[in-house]
Amino acid sequence: MNILILGGDGYLGWPTAMYLSRRGHDVTVVDSFHRRLWDAEIGAESLLPIRSLRERVALWSELGQPRIHMEVGDITDWDFLEAVVRERAPEAIVHYGEHRAAPFSMLSRRHAVITQVNNVVGTLNVLFAMRDHAPDAHLVKLGTMGEYGTPNISIEEGYIEIHHEGRSDVLPYPKQPGSFYHLSKVHDSHNIHFACKVWGLRATDLNQGVVYGVHTEETDMHPGLATRFDYDHVWGTVLNRFCVQAAIDHPLTVYGKGGQTRGFLDIRDTLACIELAVLNPAAPGEFRVFNQFTEQFSVGELAEKVAEAATKLGWDPIIENIANPRVEAEEHFYNAKHTKLLDLGLQPHYLSETLIDGLLETVRAHADRVDRALLLPSHTWTEGWIGPEAKEQQGGEVH
Ligand SMILES: NC(=O)c1ccc[n+]([C@@H]2O[C@H](COP(=O)([O-])OP(=O)(O)OC[C@H]3O[C@@H](n4cnc5c(N)ncnc54)[C@H](O)[C@@H]3O)[C@@H](O)[C@H]2O)c1
């Protein structure tokens, strides 16, 4: 298939591009390199050294793999995106091209605006470009399990049957997101659902859990094909932070009581899910929602899993609870359904094995690149950025 990957320079976009290319699809990656710029603002850097997109694409060809096409531009720029969709005429669009850090979106007004404008406008442009130039294409859009929040009932896959005053209907599952970033994903979901309804577009919203791991068959082909690993307090996921902390003998810092429970999945399962979604497209007019994760853990359980795996490697991890910068329930019910991708044939990998099968050791091999100052939060959900730059971050231009 002819596939566009928006956000193809990112943590998931680059491994997805190689995975689909190796399986015979004609892949074009699109990226604005905004992520590399936003990293510079925070002073963060991938723990694993990553090459530029141009170098990675060239290396892929040098290794005898099919050519991956590259388009550099911002999908919030209508003229750019329209030209790409018109000229490439994709059959599927995998949309990773968004801002993806909840903490970044809570740093200040400016950061909330950057996040929501980038994500909501970019996705709106994708929908209009599909309507005008690729109406049969299938949009595979990355949402997040964080759209649902933590309701006191089971979380369904996108829709719930409601009985009310003698009538019933199947309606979108209520959303209670926990940051301006997660809210941007909810706004996207509504816009995509509406576009499917009025224009007959086909879309799959993948409400993905937290992804971990850096090893895929393709990234392991050459160190120059590595994907990024974020561990800092803004972009790093809780699991990555724990892995780094264990690797440098720093306490594993659990926010608050550690009862916050979320869904997780291995990066290899993300790639498999994307391929399953692409090969089994939604019908015209259908807005399909899959919950994309394989296991759920509380933050406390996650710290224990990492500590257990690190101990098996002969390390000496300790766990410490610190003040929670976020406003979130620290103990709650959580039962999220996730059967639709399993029904399509997903064969999950599990965290305990991935930690032992190379992830922790890969992290330790790069321990000299860890910036300890980036491990602890310098923001709160109520006050935003609490570092010395805090004041100037509140105002300023959005760019
Ligand atoms: N990584 C996770 O654990 C996770 C979990 C759930 C959902 N997701 C979603 O998956 C997607 C990809 O996540 P990731 O971890 O690869 O993020 P990432 O930040 O590593 O990659 C996103 C890429 O999109 C690009 N981009 C952003 N805005 C753009 C724009 N306007 N035009 C062109 N390119 C743009 C960035 O430059 C970056 O290279 C995101 O939408 C994210 O919300 C990720």
Side-chain angles (χ1 to χ4, degrees):
M1 288 173 78
N2 179 1
I3 304 176
L4 267 191
I5 301 183
L6 310 178
D9 186 42
Y11 165 55
L12 297 176
W14 173 241
T16 305
M18 293 189 288
Y19 180 89
L20 293 175
S21 165
R22 198 152 158 243
R23 278 154 189 78
H25 300 289
D26 187 7
V27 173
T28 302
V29 288
V30 177
D31 210 291
S32 58
F33 306 138
H34 266 96
R35 176 56 209 279
R36 294 180 187 244
L37 181 72
W38 294 322
D39 273 4
E41 184 189 351
I42 304 297
E45 209 182 345
S46 166
L47 182 75
L48 269 64
I50 50 167
R51 294 193 181 177
S52 71
L53 183 59
R54 184 170 296 282
E55 288 168 323
R56 297 198 283 200
V57 163
L59 176 57
W60 186 245
S61 294
E62 280 162 30
L63 294 173
Q65 300 299 325
R67 178 168 172 217
I68 292 177
H69 309 272
M70 180 173 111
E71 298 279 358
V72 178
D74 185 335
I75 65 167
T76 67
D77 172 352
W78 169 247
D79 292 341
F80 164 73
L81 184 72
E82 186 192 28
V84 170
V85 174
R86 193 178 53 230
E87 280 154 32
R88 302 295 319 167
E91 294 163 273
I93 301 179
V94 179
H95 182 8
Y96 289 119
E98 294 207 325
H99 202 296
R100 72 123 176 93
F104 186 98
S105 75
M106 301 300 293
L107 287 177
S108 72
R109 179 204 66 85
R110 184 171 72 81
H111 294 88
V113 172
I114 290 173
T115 305
Q116 291 213 355
V117 169
N118 186 67
N119 294 359
V120 176
V121 173
T123 298
L124 270 175
N125 281 348
V126 171
L127 294 171
F128 275 89
M130 287 175 69
R131 183 197 69 170
D132 294 350
H133 303 292
D136 285 332
H138 174 211
L139 174 63
V140 177
K141 164 69 169 52
L142 272 290
T144 157
M145 286 300 294
E147 291 186 37
Y148 297 116
T150 53
N152 201 29
I153 57 171
S154 294
I155 295 172
E156 300 296 325
E157 294 198 71
Y159 297 91
I160 185 167
E161 190 171 337
I162 305 274
H163 301 273
H164 182 62
E165 296 181 348
R167 303 183 66 81
S168 62
D169 203 349
V170 176
L171 297 170
Y173 194 94
K175 305 286 177 73
Q176 302 180 80
S179 73
F180 288 118
Y181 153 70
H182 291 104
L183 276 154
S184 75
K185 295 285 192 183
V186 174
H187 304 328
D188 285 343
S189 295
H190 287 148
N191 287 339
I192 301 168
H193 193 175
F194 180 73
C196 289
K197 220 185 289 182
V198 296
W199 299 331
L201 299 184
R202 42 173 111 217
T204 302
D205 206 7
L206 295 174
N207 283 335
Q208 184 169 242
V210 180
V211 187
Y212 58 82
V214 285
H215 294 291
T216 71
E217 279 182 22
E218 293 76 25
T219 60
D220 286 349
M221 284 164 65
H222 191 288
L225 298 175
T227 194
R228 53 183 312 131
F229 179 99
D230 300 303
Y231 66 93
D232 60 276
H233 64 99
V234 170
W235 298 99
T237 61
V238 57
L239 179 62
N240 286 6
R241 204 166 52 244
F242 288 162
C243 291
V244 165
Q245 289 173 327
I248 62 166
D249 299 324
H250 183 291
L252 278 55
T253 48
V254 170
Y255 289 174
K257 293 180 185 157
Q260 310 88 322
T261 302
R262 304 287 185 266
F264 292 82
L265 75 163
D266 187 293
I267 188 169
R268 292 167 292 182
D269 295 340
T270 291
L271 307 187
C273 289
I274 294 290
E275 192 184 25
L276 286 170
V278 165
L279 295 179
N280 301 278
E286 185 185 9
F287 175 67
R288 193 172 61 167
V289 183
F290 294 163
N291 292 346
Q292 178 167 310
F293 69 97
T294 58
E295 296 176 278
Q296 63 177 56
F297 301 109
S298 72
V299 172
E301 286 166 344
L302 211 55
E304 275 159 26
K305 286 239 165 227
V306 173
E308 194 182 292
T311 305
K312 279 190 193 152
L313 295 173
W315 307 355
D316 194 15
I318 55 166
I319 298 173
E320 196 175 285
N321 292 72
I322 63 167
N324 190 351
R326 302 179 176 216
V327 176
E328 62 185 355
E330 291 181 1
E331 285 170 320
H332 57 86
F333 172 79
Y334 197 77
N335 179 40
K337 308 277 176 71
H338 57 108
T339 55
K340 291 188 183 171
L341 284 158
L342 294 170
D343 291 347
L344 285 177
L346 177 69
Q347 303 283 331
H349 296 82
Y350 294 109
L351 176 63
S352 304
E353 288 101 74
T354 303
L355 284 169
I356 297 291
D357 282 353
L359 180 58
L360 280 171
E361 276 160 334
T362 300
V363 170
R364 188 164 254 195
H366 294 89
D368 58 328
R369 288 172 54 86
V370 173
D371 180 349
R372 284 173 173 259
L374 293 173
L375 285 172
L376 297 179
S378 65
H379 61 274
T380 71
W381 252 226
T382 47
E383 289 176 69
W385 202 324
I386 50 179
E389 319 87 334
K391 269 225 160 58
E392 68 210 53
Q393 293 304 333
Q394 294 300 330
E397 289 300 305
V398 172
H399 51 78

